[in-house]
Amino acid sequence: MKKTAAYDQKRRPIKKILNSLLPFVSITCLFLLWFYASNINPDLVPSPASTWERLIQLFVKPVNKMNLFGHVWASLQRVFIALACATVLGVTVGVMIGWSKTFKAIFGTLFELIRPIPPIAWLPIIIMWFGIGEFPKILIVFIGTFMPIVVNTYTGIRLVMPLHLDVARMFNASNRQLLFEVAIPSALPPIFAGIRNATSSGWMTVLAAEMIASKAGLGFLITRGMDYFDVPLILVGMLAIGIVGALLAIITEFIERLLCPWNKKLEQD
Amino acid sequence: MPNDDVKIKVRNLTKYFGDLHVLDNISFDVKKGEFLCVVGPTGCGKTTFLNLLTKLIPPTSGELYINDEPADPKIHNISFAFQEPSAFPWLTVEQNLEFGLKIKNIPKDVIKTRVERIIKLLGLEQFRKSYPHQLSVSSEQRIIIGRSFAMYPDLLLMDEPYGQMDIKMRYYLEDEVIKLWKEFGSTVIFITHNIEEAVYLAERILILSNKPSTIKKEVVVDLPRPRDFTDPKFVEIRKYVTELIKWW
Ligand SMILES: Nc1ncnc2c1ncn2[C@@H]1O[C@H](COP(=O)(O)OP(=O)(O)OP(=O)(O)O)[C@@H](O)[C@H]1O
Ligand SMILES: [Mg+2]
């Protein structure tokens, strides 16, 4: 036992350093590949340098009166509003379906039928109904974020350990206390996992919605780049999407850690 | 026939799980303030009996009375320390201990003093802000025991609570449960696999048979306390009970 630990300690630093270097290696490789490709056809694959230039230019000469941050914020705002509504409604609906057999009977099947329809498939009909203003875009994102939150909340409530409910029953807990003191707290980790999924799904959906009909946002920026054959602008948009998406994931995980400090899964790494 | 001395009355209690016949026509009384230990082979229905008493599951036939009323956790102040780890993972040690008191709407200051007392009693000071998964199995079990103690229950049910403990902690908690029992005059039903533990704690030991279980024997332990494991009388009773069980 001791021997292995000592052995591990000896070995670990080298392996650790190596592992922490590997991401940089892979990113460098990607850059090299990018350079290489941009040498072959700079029109279709602009070099990192000209992409960078385009990014700077975006601040000097905004597209549609907005610099990059403006567009990022436009997209984020839609996601945040939709996500907030979806969290409130989704958790409520999920808890009701998970807790009440009657609600499950009424909405369960209906929900299973609607759920497989991806949010993008709602686009045409929602544009036809509500036009191309701000509301329909938020509505689409709402649909994309609502579903994972409902499903995870529902599952979390269903999976409450009977033993935990028994403990509370034995203390003579009312039905209300069983729900609010046991079922909902115990379902918080899956609920947060649902919100995490919803955030990434909402981020994808908003871009799709913006690509169809919009005057602001990263999705708009990309379509604009396509319309004007401004490939560097497309790349700037894509990179921004990736970076913001990654930041969103980090932030949601941070919030999750803060609000569910007992969640073992989060502690493992 | 009301009887002030009887806390629990079990009459012709029978339980089937489907075809599985677990408890067979069991009848016995538990006196007010008695410390009763129940021993019996694995799977003979000890946990099932406690579940029946707390109405978590319904009996197939037979009756259970507490204070001459049908047993009901809504009326009776019962605490049940479950056999499986049942601490709430989303609550800290302190919050776990408060849980039952809060459910019963006990005043805040009372909760505070009781929880402080329990934390001290069980040596959980350094863990008060920890979550159960950060604790060892035996410390986690201490939360469950503390949660039951904190209710100052009228009727304390303990289902092999010390099975996971090291011997030092077990001896310590055995004395603690005795202390609590004496101080509050609770009636205690204590399930254990450990015959020495049963003889150390009990005023009376119920020995259950294999499934379908009946009461094989009742042994009254009237040794003075604190009891001594090496006392020849203690050893004699222990051997006698062991002889009666012999489920291995
Ligand atoms: N809910 C249930 N449904 C079906 N069978 C059950 C159920 N609960 C318990 N049993 C069965 O009833 C029998 C008695 O179970 P019980 O848990 O009461 O035993 P026990 O005496 O507490 O055992 P142990 O010493 O292992 O704790 C076992 O054979 C068990 O498999
Ligand atoms: Mg058991």
Side-chain angles (χ1 to χ4, degrees), chain A residues 170-172 177 186 261-262, chain B residues 74 80 89-90 103-104 131 133:
Chain A
M170 207 251 333
F171 289 129
N172 192 16
Q177 284 172 320
S186 98
W262 67 90
Chain B
K74 287 202 184 352
F80 188 167
W90 59 88
I103 291 283
K104 294 211 164 176
Y131 288 94
H133 78 271

Side-chain angles (χ1 to χ4, degrees), chain B residues 43 46-48 83 159-160 191:
Chain B
K46 304 181 291 296
T47 301
T48 302
Q83 188 172 10
D159 196 352
E160 296 186 39
I191 289 173

Side-chain angles (χ1 to χ4, degrees), chain A residues 2 10-11 20 31-32 64 82 94 98-99 123 126 135 142 145 151 173 199 204-205 225 267:
Chain A
K2 254 190 178 147
K10 250 191 201 167
R11 254 178 65 145
S20 63
F31 259 92
L32 287 177
N64 230 355
W99 193 247
L123 250 173
I126 283 182
F135 174 71
F142 172 81
T145 49
V151 172
T199 311
M204 285 190 265
T205 314
E267 239 175 45

Side-chain angles (χ1 to χ4, degrees), chain A residues 120-141:
Chain A
I120 311 292
W122 288 87
L123 250 173
I125 202 159
I126 283 182
I127 289 176
M128 282 164 76
W129 286 347
F130 301 106
I132 55 167
E134 205 57 19
F135 174 71
K137 277 188 275 295
I138 292 173
L139 184 60
I140 296 276
V141 181

Side-chain angles (χ1 to χ4, degrees), chain B residues 1-9 11 29-30 32 64-71 75-76:
Chain B
M1 42 148 216
N3 187 339
D4 282 349
D5 285 347
V6 177
K7 181 79 189 171
I8 301 172
K9 248 187 341 200
R11 289 293 174 270
D29 288 352
V30 184
K32 224 165 234 163
L64 288 149
Y65 300 97
I66 299 177
N67 300 339
D68 271 316
E69 300 160 302
I75 306 167
H76 306 109

Side-chain angles (χ1 to χ4, degrees), chain B residues 17 20 22 40-49 83 159-160 193 211:
Chain B
F17 287 111
L20 186 70
V22 180
T42 301
C44 74
K46 304 181 291 296
T47 301
T48 302
F49 168 68
Q83 188 172 10
D159 196 352
E160 296 186 39
H193 261 117
K211 263 181 314 225

